[in-house]
Amino acid sequence: MFEKVKNQDHLLGKTNRIVDGTTITGDITTLADFRLDGKLKGNFTSEGKIVIGPTGEVIGDIICKSIDIEGVFSGKLQAEGMLNVKSKAHITGEVIVGKLAVEPGARFEASCEMRSS
């Protein structure tokens, strides 16, 4: 009845977005990129890039390809590629990444493990 999509090229350049003032309680799973300017209390899984904007907040676990954080994150983060921590970000918990960049002024209060691909 339903065909399983094997090629995800149709998702290139498309971004899901949760705006400021929105709170979601529960888990999010997506194949496309995602920008969060609202709040998420739950787990987040993406095969693309995640951006947590300056008003964004995640309390839960994240698994993704790469991530930019400018807001607040608390939990366990696993990113296959790059984690960019912007100057206004506040991160607590556990971080497992391929590469890490932290701007001056960021609050990085997490254990960190870097793994090569």
Side-chain angles (χ1 to χ4, degrees), residues 15-71:
T15 302
N16 293 299
R17 185 169 185 158
I18 302 297
V19 297
D20 187 16
T22 303
T23 299
I24 296 175
T25 302
D27 297 340
I28 295 176
T29 302
T30 182
L31 298 174
D33 294 344
F34 203 99
R35 179 172 178 98
L36 179 75
D37 289 302
K39 295 184 176 152
L40 170 65
K41 294 176 184 173
N43 300 322
F44 202 135
T45 304
S46 174
E47 292 189 22
K49 179 178 182 175
I50 297 173
V51 175
I52 299 174
T55 58
E57 180 178 348
V58 175
I59 299 171
D61 297 342
I62 295 178
I63 298 173
C64 61
K65 184 168 271 229
S66 63
I67 184 166
D68 291 352
I69 300 177
E70 194 171 359

Side-chain angles (χ1 to χ4, degrees), residues 62-111:
I62 295 178
I63 298 173
C64 61
K65 184 168 271 229
S66 63
I67 184 166
D68 291 352
I69 300 177
E70 194 171 359
V72 177
F73 171 75
S74 180
K76 182 176 181 180
L77 168 64
Q78 297 179 66
E80 179 182 321
M82 176 71 90
L83 163 60
N84 285 306
V85 183
K86 305 296 184 180
S87 62
K88 304 276 188 204
H90 182 194
I91 297 175
T92 57
E94 181 182 352
V95 173
I96 301 168
V97 295
K99 296 180 182 178
L100 174 67
V102 180
E103 290 183 0
R107 291 177 59 191
F108 190 83
E109 301 167 356
S111 65

